[in-house]
Amino acid sequence: MKKRVPFWKLIGTSIRGEEQDYTRISIKTGIVLLAVPMILEMIMESLFAVVDIFFVGRLGEDAVATVGLTEAVLTIIYSLGVGISMAGTAMVARRFGEKNYQGAGTVAFQLLLVGALASLALGLGGFMYSREILSLMGAEAEVLAQGSSYTSVIFAGNTAIMLLFLINGIFRGAGAPHLAMRALWISNGLNILLDPLLIFGLGSLPGLGLVGAAWATTLGRSVGVLYQVYHLVNGKHRLVIGRQNLKVRWFTLQKIIRISLGGMGQFLVDSAAWIVLTRIAAEFGSAAVAGYTIAFRILLFSLMPAWGLSAAAATLVGQNLGAGKAYRAELATYLTARYNFIFLASVTLIYLFFADSLAGIFVQGEEVRVIAATGLKITVLGYIFYAVGMVMVQAFNGAGDTRTPAYINVGVFWLLEIPMAYVLAISYDLGTLGIFSTIAFCHSLHSLIALWFFRKGRWKFAKA
C-alpha cells in the first residue's frame, strides 16, 4: 500500500515545481500540485487589482472611472490573448499526454507568433484612438481630460500584458504552473512597488498621476515576459523552444486558430456583455461606474484563486485525454469542482457579512461605498453555482472544445443578461442594483447549463 504524502509536503513540491506525469499520479495529488501554484498566481493577480485600485482611488472617482472604462474596452483585446492561451493550454497539454515534447515546443512557438503579431496590431489602434474609445464608452468630460493619456499607455503596452497571460497558458498546459506563478509574482510584485512611486512620486521626484499607474503595469508585465521567455529557451524543462521548433507550421497554426476562435468567442462574448453593463452603469454617473468597478476589483480577489483552482482541471483533462484516459479526465473535473464549491461557499459568507467594511477600505465617498457594498452582497449569491460552472468550462477548454462554452456564453450573456440588465436598471429604474442582480442570476444559470453539457460527454472526442 502506497504511503500518503502529507499535504504540506505536496504544497512544497508544487511551489518548487518538480515535473510530474499527471496521467499516472493520484488525481487528488495532481489537483494539489497544479492548483497550489495556480491559486498563488491568481492571488497575486487579484492582489495587484486591489492594490492598483487602492492607489488610483486616492486620485478621485474620475480616475477610478477611467480605469474601469479602459479595462472594459481592453477586455476585447485581451479576448484574443485568452483565446490563444486556451489553445496553448489544450494543445501543449495534449502533446505532453502523448509524451511528444518536441511537438509541444513547436506548438509553443506558433502560439507566440500569433499572439505577438495580433497584439501589436490591436495595440496600435487603441493607442491612436484612446480618447475616442473613452468617449464612446460614455466617459464624462472630467474623465476624458485626465484619462486619455492613461488609456494610450495601457494600449501601447498591451503586447507585454497579452504575452504574459499567453505564455502562462502554455506553462499550465505543460504541467509547469510554478513557472506561471513566478512570472506573475515577478511582474505584479514589481507593479505594486512601482504604483505609488510613479503615481505620487518620491522625494523631489514628481509623480505622474494616473499615467504612472499605466507605466507601472507596462513595466512590470514586460519584466515578467522576459522571465517567461528565458524559461522557454533555456533547455532546463521538458517544454523548450529550440532551433528545430523555429519554423512556421501552417497545419499547427490552423489548429491554433480553430481552437482560439472558440476561446476568443467565449471570452469576447462575456467581455462584450461586461462592457455593455459598464456602459449601462455609466448612465448613472461616475459614482456608479466607480462603485461598479470597485465591487468587481474586490470580487476578483476571491474569484482569481477560484479560477486558479479550476484551471487545474484544464491541464488534467488535456494531458489525460492525450494519454487516452478519458475517465481520469472526467473524475479530475468533478473532484476539482467539489473543492472549488467548498472554497467559494466560504467566500460567499465572508462577503455577505463584511461587504460594507471591505468597500470602505477602497473608497472614501459614501455614495460609491454603498454601491460597491451592494454589488458585493448581491453578486456573491451566485457563487455556489459559479464554483462548479467555471470548472466545467475549464474542462471543455482543456479538451480543446472551446466552442461549447462560447455558444453557452452567447445564449446567456448576450440574449439574456444584456436585455435583462437594461430592463431592470433603466426601464425599472433600479440602477446598479438591477445590474448586480442580473449578473448573479445569469452566472448561476450559465453554470447549470455548462454542467449539463459536460455530462453529455462530447468533449471527450475533441481534437487538439
Side-chain angles (χ1 to χ4, degrees):
M1 183 176 179
K2 187 179 291 186
K3 186 178 180 180
R4 178 178 295 180
V5 179
F7 183 72
W8 63 270
K9 284 190 175 181
L10 286 179
I11 293 178
T13 300
S14 67
I15 294 175
R16 288 194 302 272
E18 299 175 10
E19 293 185 306
Q20 306 286 341
D21 185 346
Y22 291 100
T23 66
R24 293 181 178 274
I25 65 174
S26 162
I27 294 176
K28 291 183 179 180
T29 298
I31 292 174
V32 174
L33 293 177
L34 288 169
V36 169
M38 290 178 181
I39 290 173
L40 291 175
E41 173 191 353
M42 292 298 102
I43 285 177
M44 173 52 83
E45 180 65 15
S46 58
L47 178 63
F48 156 69
V50 172
V51 172
D52 187 58
I53 207 67
F54 175 82
F55 288 121
V56 171
R58 295 300 183 266
L59 299 176
E61 67 182 43
D62 290 331
V64 176
T66 298
V67 173
L69 294 174
T70 300
E71 288 187 348
V73 178
L74 274 175
T75 51
I76 296 180
I77 293 180
Y78 292 165
S79 67
L80 179 63
V82 169
I84 302 172
S85 177
M86 289 179 185
T89 298
M91 295 176 68
V92 171
R94 195 68 68 95
R95 300 295 84 74
F96 264 64
E98 299 165 349
K99 305 300 185 287
N100 181 7
Y101 303 124
Q102 182 172 328
T106 297
V107 168
F109 178 69
Q110 314 306 310
L111 289 161
L112 293 182
L113 281 179
V114 174
L117 292 175
S119 63
L120 284 171
L122 291 172
L124 179 61
F127 174 78
M128 294 176 62
Y129 298 102
S130 59
R131 187 176 182 87
E132 288 79 2
I133 289 172
L134 286 176
S135 179
L136 184 64
M137 286 296 295
E140 298 178 346
E142 294 80 2
V143 173
L144 286 174
Q146 69 167 308
S148 58
S149 297
Y150 169 87
T151 306
S152 295
V153 174
I154 287 292
F155 272 105
N158 93 94
T159 296
I161 299 173
M162 187 180 295
L163 285 180
L164 183 71
F165 292 106
L166 166 58
I167 300 175
N168 273 359
I170 294 173
F171 285 150
R172 294 187 199 105
H178 63 288
L179 295 178
M181 174 193 70
R182 293 171 187 172
L184 210 59
W185 276 70
I186 289 171
S187 63
N188 284 355
L190 182 58
N191 198 340
I192 291 172
L193 290 175
L194 289 176
D195 249 346
L197 296 178
L198 296 181
I199 293 175
F200 305 111
L202 180 65
S204 60
L205 296 176
L208 300 176
L210 184 58
V211 179
W215 277 112
T217 297
T218 301
L219 292 173
R221 301 281 164 109
S222 297
V223 172
V225 171
L226 292 177
Y227 173 85
Q228 291 173 318
V229 172
Y230 168 74
H231 282 282
L232 281 176
V233 301
N234 65 12
K236 297 180 180 180
H237 313 282
R238 286 184 294 189
L239 175 64
V240 59
I241 298 179
R243 292 184 178 180
Q244 69 275 17
N245 305 120
L246 302 181
K247 294 181 181 179
V248 177
R249 311 280 183 173
W250 294 108
F251 178 75
T252 302
L253 287 174
Q254 290 174 4
K255 188 178 290 188
I256 289 172
I257 292 172
R258 176 180 61 81
I259 298 176
S260 295
L261 286 176
M264 290 164 54
Q266 60 182 275
F267 189 81
L268 185 60
V269 169
D270 192 2
S271 302
W274 180 48
I275 290 173
V276 174
L277 296 184
T278 304
R279 183 65 182 84
I280 294 174
E283 290 294 317
F284 303 95
S286 292
V289 176
Y292 178 85
T293 301
I294 288 172
F296 280 94
R297 282 296 185 97
I298 297 173
L299 287 169
L300 281 176
F301 193 77
S302 57
L303 282 180
M304 284 294 187
W307 282 329
L309 176 58
S310 62
T315 301
L316 289 169
V317 167
Q319 291 201 12
N320 281 288
L321 287 181
K325 300 179 179 181
Y327 177 73
R328 274 179 60 92
E330 184 173 9
L331 181 57
T333 303
Y334 286 128
L335 283 174
T336 306
R338 179 193 297 176
Y339 301 148
N340 210 32
F341 175 88
I342 294 172
F343 170 70
L344 281 184
S346 302
V347 170
T348 297
L349 294 176
I350 293 174
Y351 281 142
L352 288 177
F353 285 105
F354 301 105
D356 294 285
S357 300
L358 289 170
I361 296 174
F362 300 98
V363 65
Q364 298 174 344
E366 179 65 16
E367 182 181 3
V368 177
R369 185 193 65 79
V370 170
I371 292 172
T374 301
L376 291 175
K377 294 176 182 177
I378 294 177
T379 305
V380 296
L381 296 178
Y383 263 23
I384 56 174
F385 296 100
Y386 194 36
V388 176
M390 67 171 64
V391 175
M392 299 301 126
V393 169
Q394 287 285 8
F396 283 124
N397 293 332
D401 178 13
T402 55
R403 292 188 178 183
T404 296
Y407 294 147
I408 298 173
N409 282 6
V410 170
V412 176
F413 296 140
W414 277 7
L415 300 183
L416 178 61
E417 185 176 61
I418 291 175
M420 182 177 174
Y422 183 87
V423 170
L424 291 180
I426 296 180
S427 299
Y428 283 89
D429 199 27
L430 294 178
T432 54
L433 179 63
I435 298 175
F436 293 132
S437 300
T438 299
I439 292 172
F441 174 79
C442 288
H443 277 76
S444 300
L445 177 63
H446 179 279
S447 299
L448 294 176
I449 295 173
L451 177 60
W452 184 78
F453 274 104
F454 180 82
R455 291 174 63 87
K456 292 177 71 69
R458 294 178 182 174
W459 54 271
K460 298 176 185 178
F461 307 100
K463 304 295 182 182

